[in-house]
């Protein structure tokens, strides 16, 4: 246990310990959302607050400040660029941490835990006022946090932009406007076209009625297990469970967890959520870990939440919702249902792609999903920096749902209470979901240039080649780049909405055909 | 978040934080043994080592030393005796912690985690040599620990005695000799009598063949759920799962977990283990928490592991294995089996009490259980302070099994690899199991003096009155006493083997009748 001679080596050991501490929180979070009894919540909140305070201390205390400065001083003109990048990322993060009042960090962790618990109750009983004070507290604390963080930002950013940086480095409202405007302009037309084409089908909608045949919980479980087995799930390194909201989390460098949920009346929900969360987990499992520049350094971390989401959406939408996949999996679903459900494979494919607006984001189709995100993005902008009172959120949510998707939520549980994010104070996170769609589509174009059509690869069960391509081109980049740089590096072009919109337009036509 | 004015108040806040940290370890331990994938073990080991080091630091650092001294200085002649006792217990524990090298604490935690992982593998593949180096390391580290701790002990103790103190305060080898000698002398005769009486029954043994009817996993699960429901299990505060070795653990003041396992061919194993672990959990749930002298102070902790075990054994052996309980539960077991299994309620009772020696401690009957413990106690004495080489453990184990129970383990998995304790370096723990039997029997005598015969109470389903008696007489004592003092206080007599041996002799006769 002798200390390494170089500051670099000592910093490595220090970051390793920091990772240990952070991963303990992940483990408690997983437990909290899968098995913890409800009465355990206050204590769990205190545990997480203690860990958050410790983590903040480790990331801001003088010992670390000195260590980082010493490592920076060791940099030579011919030092590896990875070392320089790692230290730059650590420096930025340190400056952010140092701006924060430790007391705020602890209070935030407790408010998150309380928010989570109250949100679960409020959602069950459709009681927004029960949750509102917790949301108000989270907003206040996050605004305080943004104000404290502003000093560390290399450029001037709005409070929302400041809060979004940890999820999407370098993101700005202006850039999101550029990317989201084509979505806002063109998705409604695509939805209208899907509705119009749907009118010509037997069920009267594009995408069959998924409610026609439900699947028993055990059958859904078996299908999920089969899917994962074919996609490289290794029970020696992975674990899965149920939770109210599906998620993926990494508990250790060799310990990956995913969760799903079974939704009555939605036979594909658990299956597609499993594909989605497994996409996240594959990315985590594929992040660069070996070599002195990676784990536990920043370069071994995910590029951004948008890139993370592009990986889950790739497996969910481009693979599991593809025509070829439907063809291959119909027999297994029919065997699981025990009846000749879902008709032809074209019909089954339509069931996997029900192109019609719905109330719930996580069950949304590919056409309306990004409109859900735009709604949330614009609402949280209003909440964080636009002066929208928390009490007005339900009405404002409903008003915008009607305007954007033509649907009025019958309850807040199906409206502004549906997502866990705000319940944990995650403002600035939602846009990454939409960016994930755009990134996935643009990466897929390049993948097809390299390997041939996705449909052909999926038809012959060559998902391992897809994994291989991602493992070679996308996963190793880690935080050597930001999300947009990753796209430019892999695809040769700046990120845009066009590949996604082109893909969707073609899919609508094929679903009708 | 302003600090309390009195040193007592500040010490309270300090201990609260210490409890938070300790309970994080418990949560990780629960996760490790119920869901964690195998490859997560090394990282989990590092996490637990980090927490153990932090815990050790908190319990020995100057801030705490000063705080405790300041609280001691605040004691007045008319201070409550509880305050004095709390500070005495903390002082003793502090002196122990201060003797320990922090490096040893960290290495021990890692060795425990490694030991656990290797033991699981070794047990599966019956490969003692795979586990032996880990056991050797644990023994070396524990011997070092005992040597360091010796300085803090108020009286001279042997290494084994020193290691046993945290489990059984004030225990000595001499006292164990006094208590165990009657067991070694009289239990073989009782076993012989059971075998003799068994020869006169239809099955040729006292206690029916439990292998005759097995129960499906789901049926066992349902029976366990029904048992717990009747015994006050509250899913808002409790959670249960499966693990290789059943255990109970407290994750927070309102968060209690128990585990069980289903053993093929042993239809009562999960059920009785559930009764047992629930007994532990009830005790934890009933420890004094309210009032300024209890949680998070030592007085709010369990008296000793022997007392803890007396509570689990009470519910398992005195209630779930009683004649009246068999009468009440036979119809439910038959319904679960779907056949008229297990004959009459007397036969069923015999099945719940198979009085014949077996290889596995946790499946052992009440007659041979303590002989299992004596074997382990004597062997760990040999390992820790008698010079027995680790490599000789399997042969020595087998030799003593033959001498004591007349059985030769066919494999080490059924022999010296069966228990988790040594795999986690828990030397000095086993005797508490036998003490639990003695304490349970002696407490039961007093309970019957107060409430009438146990059989009558169980026959009328009045388990709540049993719980009430324990809640009033036993659970509130916490660490105001040690195990033997608790017995003297509740029963009016010193602890002895006689109530247990008397109970067993009567039970053998009734089972034959």
């Amino acid at each position: 246990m002798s200390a390494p001679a170089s500051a670099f080596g000592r910093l490595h050991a220090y970051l390793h310990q920091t990772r240990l501490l952070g991963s303990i929180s992940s483990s408690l979070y997983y437990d909290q959302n899968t098995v913890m009894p409800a009465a355990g919540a206050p204590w769990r909140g205190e545990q997480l607050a203690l860990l958050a305070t410790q983590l903040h201390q480790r990331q801001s205390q003088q010992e670390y400040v000195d260590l980082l400065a010493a490592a920076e001083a060791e940099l030579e003109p011919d030092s590896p660029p990875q070392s320089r990048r790692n230290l730059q990322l650590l420096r930025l993060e340190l400056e952010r941490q140092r701006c924060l009042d430790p007391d705020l960090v602890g209070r935030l962790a407790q408010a998150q835990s309380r928010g989570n618990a109250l949100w679960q109750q409020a959602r069950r009983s459709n009681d927004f006022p029960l949750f509102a004070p917790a949301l108000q507290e989270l907003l206040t604390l996050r605004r305080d946090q943004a104000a404290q963080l502003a000093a560390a930002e290399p450029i001037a950013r709005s409070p929302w932009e400041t809060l979004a940086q940890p999820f999407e480095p370098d993101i700005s409202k202006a850039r999101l406007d550029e990317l989201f405007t084509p979505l806002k302009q063109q998705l409604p037309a695509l939805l209208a076209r899907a509705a119009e084409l749907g009118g010509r089908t037997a069920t009267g909608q594009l995408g069959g009625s998924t409610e026609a045949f439900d699947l028993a919980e055990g059958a859904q479980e078996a299908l999920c297990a089969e899917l994962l087995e074919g996609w490289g799930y290794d029970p020696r390194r992975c674990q899965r469970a149920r939770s109210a909201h599906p998620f993926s989390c990494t508990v250790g460098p060799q310990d990956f967890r995913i969760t799903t949920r079974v939704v009555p009346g939605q036979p594909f929900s658990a299956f597609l959520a499993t594909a989605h969360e497994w996409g996240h987990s594959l990315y985590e499992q594929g992040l660069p870990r070996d070599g002195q520049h990676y784990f536990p350094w920043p370069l071994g971390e995910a590029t951004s939440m948008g890139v993370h989401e592009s990986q889950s959406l790739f497996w969910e939408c481009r693979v599991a919702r593809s025509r070829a996949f439907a063809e291959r999996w119909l027999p297994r679903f029919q065997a699981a249902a025990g009846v000749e459900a879902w008709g032809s494979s074209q019909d089954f494919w339509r069931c996997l792609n029900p192109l019609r607006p719905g109330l719930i984001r996580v069950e949304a189709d590919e056409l309306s999903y990004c409109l859900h995100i735009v709604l949330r993005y614009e609402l949280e902008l209003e909440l964080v920096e636009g002066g929208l009172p928390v009490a007005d959120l339900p009405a404002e949510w409903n008003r915008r749902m009607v305007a954007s998707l033509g649907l009025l939520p019958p309850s807040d549980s199906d409206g502004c209470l549906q997502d866990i994010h705000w319940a944990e104070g995650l403002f600035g996170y939602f846009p990454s979901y939409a960016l994930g769609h755009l990134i996935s589509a643009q990466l897929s174009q390049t993948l097809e240039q390299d390997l041939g059509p996705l449909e052909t690869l999926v038809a012959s069960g060559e998902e391992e080649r897809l994994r291989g391509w991602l493992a070679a081109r996308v996963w190793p980049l880690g935080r050597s780049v930001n999300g947009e740089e990753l796209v430019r590096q892999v695809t040769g072009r700046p990120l845009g909405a066009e590949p996604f919109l082109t893909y969707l337009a073609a899919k609508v036509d094929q679903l009708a055909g």
Side-chain angles (χ1 to χ4, degrees), chain A:
Chain A
M1 294 217 174
S2 61
S6 72
F8 243 89
R10 293 199 307 279
L11 184 54
H12 181 101
Y14 192 91
L15 295 173
H16 184 95
Q17 290 270 90
T18 306
R19 281 297 188 95
L20 277 173
L21 213 50
S23 67
I24 291 172
S25 287
S26 302
S27 184
L28 295 186
Y29 179 88
Y30 181 81
D31 178 274
Q32 175 175 27
N33 286 284
T34 55
V35 296
M36 188 190 79
W43 187 256
R44 179 56 45 90
E46 289 193 57
Q47 290 174 325
L48 290 171
L50 174 66
L51 290 170
T53 304
Q54 283 193 3
L55 205 54
H56 172 68
Q57 255 168 26
R58 273 195 79 75
Q59 290 171 330
S60 57
Q61 69 194 358
Q62 199 55 44
E63 181 189 353
Y64 175 59
V65 175
D66 295 345
L67 205 48
L68 181 55
E72 286 167 338
E74 275 180 4
L75 276 180
E76 305 277 352
D78 59 347
S79 290
Q82 296 99 324
S83 301
R84 201 172 299 276
R85 172 78 176 168
N86 270 324
L87 294 180
Q88 274 167 0
L89 291 166
L90 290 172
R91 169 60 59 189
L92 177 60
E93 188 52 32
L94 172 62
E95 295 311 319
R96 285 189 182 139
Q97 291 286 340
R98 294 226 284 178
C99 296
L100 291 179
D101 174 9
D103 187 46
L104 177 71
V105 174
R107 280 188 293 139
L108 202 41
Q110 279 203 289
Q112 288 177 291
S113 192
R114 192 161 44 239
N116 183 321
L118 282 171
W119 167 74
Q120 303 224 21
Q121 270 188 59
R123 188 167 170 242
R124 259 195 306 275
S125 52
N126 186 37
D127 185 357
F128 180 79
L130 178 72
F131 170 60
L135 179 59
Q136 182 59 61
E137 188 189 11
L138 284 162
L139 275 165
T140 305
L141 291 170
R142 283 291 188 203
R143 269 191 226 109
D144 290 353
Q145 190 187 27
Q148 292 177 11
L149 285 171
E153 292 304 313
I155 61 168
R157 301 193 204 275
S158 82
W160 184 92
E161 285 175 332
T162 301
L163 294 177
Q165 293 305 306
F167 312 122
E168 213 59 54
D170 309 317
I171 200 68
S172 69
K173 293 192 282 184
R175 183 66 180 126
L176 285 177
D177 275 349
E178 283 172 18
L179 293 167
F180 287 176
T181 299
L183 301 179
K184 287 170 77 172
Q185 285 169 346
Q186 295 178 49
L187 287 175
L190 277 173
L191 275 166
R193 180 158 162 71
E196 178 206 326
L197 290 171
R200 301 191 209 148
T201 66
T203 57
Q205 58 196 11
L206 209 56
S209 162
T210 60
E211 285 78 24
F213 301 94
D214 206 354
L215 278 172
E217 205 163 317
Q220 293 195 40
E221 177 54 37
L223 287 163
C224 291
E226 194 178 348
L227 177 76
L228 289 171
E229 205 186 329
W231 286 5
Y233 182 91
D234 177 355
R236 286 167 305 178
R237 306 166 74 230
C238 306
Q239 212 278 332
R240 61 211 183 84
R242 298 283 175 79
S243 65
H245 188 97
F247 65 92
S248 155
C249 90
T250 297
V251 170
Q254 295 295 328
D255 186 345
F256 305 94
R257 319 278 179 103
I258 62 168
T259 72
T260 190
R261 60 174 173 192
V262 169
V263 184
Q266 302 202 13
F268 309 123
S269 171
F271 187 79
L272 293 171
T274 298
H276 184 97
E277 298 307 333
W278 184 242
H280 281 304
S281 193
L282 278 177
Y283 182 42
E284 288 278 320
Q285 293 175 48
L287 284 171
R289 288 231 160 68
D290 301 329
Q292 55 169 329
H293 305 300
Y294 304 101
F295 187 86
W297 297 90
L299 281 184
E301 295 171 356
T303 303
S304 77
M305 287 305 104
V307 172
H308 226 306
E309 196 62 19
S310 77
Q311 298 306 294
S312 55
L313 289 170
F314 176 81
W315 292 96
E316 177 196 347
C317 297
R318 304 305 297 246
V319 185
R321 289 191 201 263
S322 70
R323 177 74 182 79
F325 194 84
E327 181 96 40
R328 268 173 58 208
W329 278 73
L330 175 58
R332 304 179 211 193
F333 272 83
Q334 284 183 332
V339 288
E340 286 281 309
W342 302 298
S344 69
S345 65
Q346 173 76 9
D347 294 334
F348 181 60
W349 183 43
R350 284 179 179 153
C351 292
L352 285 170
N353 291 277
L355 300 189
R356 60 174 182 281
L359 292 165
I360 306 299
R361 176 184 62 84
V362 296
E363 308 289 351
D365 62 78
E366 290 174 90
L367 292 184
S368 49
Y369 190 93
C370 288
L371 295 175
H372 280 277
I373 294 306
V374 169
L375 180 150
R376 284 156 179 76
Y377 164 58
E378 292 176 349
L379 269 178
E380 66 179 22
L381 267 188
E382 290 293 322
L383 285 167
V384 172
E385 56 186 59
L388 177 68
V390 163
D392 294 352
L393 177 61
E396 195 56 24
W397 178 288
N398 293 351
R399 193 182 68 71
R400 288 169 188 248
M401 271 302 281
V402 171
S404 132
L405 291 171
L407 296 168
L408 179 65
S411 73
D412 292 334
S413 298
D414 292 319
C416 65
L417 284 174
Q418 69 183 264
D419 293 308
I420 198 173
H421 305 68
W422 294 342
E424 297 194 339
L426 292 177
F427 308 108
Y429 191 108
F430 278 118
S432 295
Y433 289 119
L435 294 177
H437 273 288
L438 307 192
I439 296 169
S440 168
Q442 194 157 329
L443 293 177
S444 295
Q445 279 190 345
T446 303
L447 179 146
E448 293 194 310
Q449 283 159 21
D450 289 356
L451 302 183
L454 261 166
E455 289 284 351
T456 311
L457 292 157
V458 174
S460 49
E462 293 182 89
E463 281 101 320
E464 211 171 319
R465 288 188 64 202
L466 307 180
R467 247 195 298 153
W469 188 88
L470 294 170
R473 304 288 302 273
V474 177
W475 301 344
L477 293 177
R479 286 179 67 191
S480 65
V481 288
N482 69 26
E484 300 224 37
E485 288 161 354
L486 177 142
V487 171
R488 206 173 300 118
Q489 191 162 322
V490 177
T491 72
R493 282 170 302 143
L495 178 64
E498 175 273 331
F500 179 58
L501 290 165
T502 305
Y503 152 72
L504 285 183
K507 190 161 186 175
V508 168
D509 285 337
Q510 285 154 17
L511 280 163

